[in-house]
Amino acid sequence: MLIDIAEYRPDVADLNTAFTDELLNVLAADGSYIPAPMLAALTAALPARPNGWLSVRSLDGTIRFFVGTSTKLYLLNSTTLAWDDVSQAATTYSATDDVPWCIKAFGNFIIAVNQNDDPQVYEIGTDVLFRDLAGSPPRAGAVAVWGDFAVLMRLTSNSNRVQWSGLNDCEFWTPGANNSDYQDFPDGGQVQASTEATNPLIFMESAIQRATFVPGSVEIFTFQKIHDKRGAKSPYSIATRGELGFFADEGGFFQIGPDGNVTPIGFEKVDRTFFRRMAVSSISRIAGAVDPFYSRVYWVIDYDGDGIFDQMLVYDWQLVKWTVIEVAVVGIFAFATSGYTLDGLDAVSSSLDALPFPLDSKAWQGGAPVLGAFDTDFKLGAFSGVSMEATITSPELGDTAGRVMRTAASYPIVDTADVFVSVGVRMRRGDNVAWLPEQQPSSNTGMVRKRSRARFHRFKTRIPADTVWTHFKGIDVETSEAGSR
């Protein structure tokens, strides 16, 4: 009996279905699961916990990585892989984990905001340190770029307002002049964040607005509420790529297109399982990022409230499938490196064997985007390391009329011999699953010879970390009936 891979849908019953409620450390592919790479550190450690970051390609083509801590702003030194303090002179900032930095690029201007400090700016090629953003802009918790405008949101002075700069001038903030202005929303709660497009979508706590740029008009932007009583509970959960957006609201994960159509992507798949486990404070701190290359969006969750994200949910919007990965990270984001020659790799390690990523990894290619995070030592890393330990569990199989099934052998369909299989059995669905000792396949046949007798069976395949494999397709099981006692 061939048991194909099961889709990860822990919200639904897994008896005699094509779904499983146990899956760990893999990514979805078309008709298979593939390895999930480990996070591997690349840089020296920051002196304090990061709480805002940006990887940017400047107009001259160079890559820079900025990061903020509670008191300072830093720029990654691409030669030493250490962190250069580029904070405003004689300034100690007042960001916190609850009032973090948001950093965005407007051309060669790097704008960094948090609600406790005046907005900061660093002009690439001109400034060596951050300085106050000119034009007397308000303090804000978020910044975005709408075409030719820089936009501030989560204003300390007015949380339901968005305010935009002058046209092509991020240091002009006089409303009513040079196309600079603001918009207050009468309901929907606090403005959380927005997509970054000429005609963006604006996420509020319980509403979604669409802004439309009207060149030459008095209004500059017109606004239309396209969703009421539906918004983003966590501003950090909003992940966008172009006009495509993803976000978490109370009770679920959602996808929104440029037309404003909202799809409940986690409904009857993962929503009930994961939101039931989360405290309210955990929901408001879910953080998301869109893969810079593949059709995947990642959400990291801090269940314990200790500031460390310990699980990552992955949704592939092309395959419409979920997986889950164990992590221990501070935030998640897409970034790119400046690129390295073989000689330049000496800054990372003098030994090729000790490099954190394979030589063909995109992490070494200048400008090639990768998914990254800061680890618990506050080192910047990329999810480009060796494969994580993967666990893939089949649906539960059994006869509800009471017949007992025997199994004699199984054959995991995966392109590695470094794999282990265990059989889970129980006589009644109300019993706990008893897992028999795992066993490695025979070196001659590739079969796992393990006998079992039960009404209900499931099969767990474990692939150790650092194993080279490409696809897991399922497991072929030798079964027979054993009566009905």
Side-chain angles (χ1 to χ4, degrees), residues 136-148:
S136 301
R139 290 186 177 184
V143 58
V145 176
W146 297 354
D148 296 326

Side-chain angles (χ1 to χ4, degrees), residues 106 148-150 164-170 172-173 177-180:
F106 185 85
D148 296 326
F149 300 89
W164 57 92
S165 70
L167 181 68
N168 283 316
D169 189 351
C170 67
F172 188 95
W173 293 91
N178 192 24
N179 292 301
S180 177

Side-chain angles (χ1 to χ4, degrees), residues 16-35:
N16 297 331
T17 67
F19 311 125
T20 181
D21 60 355
E22 291 188 46
L23 191 73
L24 191 62
N25 297 342
V26 293
L27 297 169
D30 187 7
S32 68
Y33 287 114
I34 60 177

Side-chain angles (χ1 to χ4, degrees), residues 122-164:
Y122 178 107
E123 185 179 0
I124 295 173
T126 299
D127 294 325
V128 294
L129 299 175
F130 275 89
R131 55 181 173 80
D132 287 346
L133 183 65
S136 301
R139 290 186 177 184
V143 58
V145 176
W146 297 354
D148 296 326
F149 300 89
V151 184
L152 297 177
M153 294 167 281
R154 302 213 302 274
L155 308 185
T156 56
S157 57
N158 194 332
S159 63
N160 65 336
R161 170 180 292 181
V162 294
Q163 184 167 342
W164 57 92

Side-chain angles (χ1 to χ4, degrees), residues 53-199:
W53 37 75
L54 174 70
S55 173
V56 60
R57 182 194 296 271
S58 61
L59 297 182
D60 64 6
T62 58
I63 303 293
R64 289 174 173 82
F65 192 98
F66 295 87
V67 62
T69 67
S70 58
T71 59
K72 296 293 179 181
L73 287 163
Y74 294 92
L75 173 62
L76 179 64
N77 187 311
S78 60
T79 301
T80 66
L81 296 180
W83 298 95
D84 295 334
D85 186 347
V86 289
S87 307
Q88 185 173 165
T91 299
T92 299
Y93 300 116
S94 301
T96 68
D97 291 344
D98 294 324
V99 185
W101 289 100
C102 180
I103 309 174
K104 295 290 184 178
F106 185 85
N108 269 345
F109 291 86
I110 308 303
I111 303 172
V113 301
N114 75 73
Q115 292 177 321
N116 291 337
D117 293 293
D118 293 334
Q120 300 290 290
V121 68
Y122 178 107
E123 185 179 0
I124 295 173
T126 299
D127 294 325
V128 294
L129 299 175
F130 275 89
R131 55 181 173 80
D132 287 346
L133 183 65
S136 301
R139 290 186 177 184
V143 58
V145 176
W146 297 354
D148 296 326
F149 300 89
V151 184
L152 297 177
M153 294 167 281
R154 302 213 302 274
L155 308 185
T156 56
S157 57
N158 194 332
S159 63
N160 65 336
R161 170 180 292 181
V162 294
Q163 184 167 342
W164 57 92
S165 70
L167 181 68
N168 283 316
D169 189 351
C170 67
E171 297 201 272
F172 188 95
W173 293 91
T174 303
N178 192 24
N179 292 301
S180 177
D181 215 333
Y182 61 84
Q183 174 69 34
D184 293 337
F185 300 110
D187 56 17
Q190 173 179 278
V191 175
Q192 301 283 52
S194 75
T195 58
E196 293 196 306
T198 301
N199 300 312

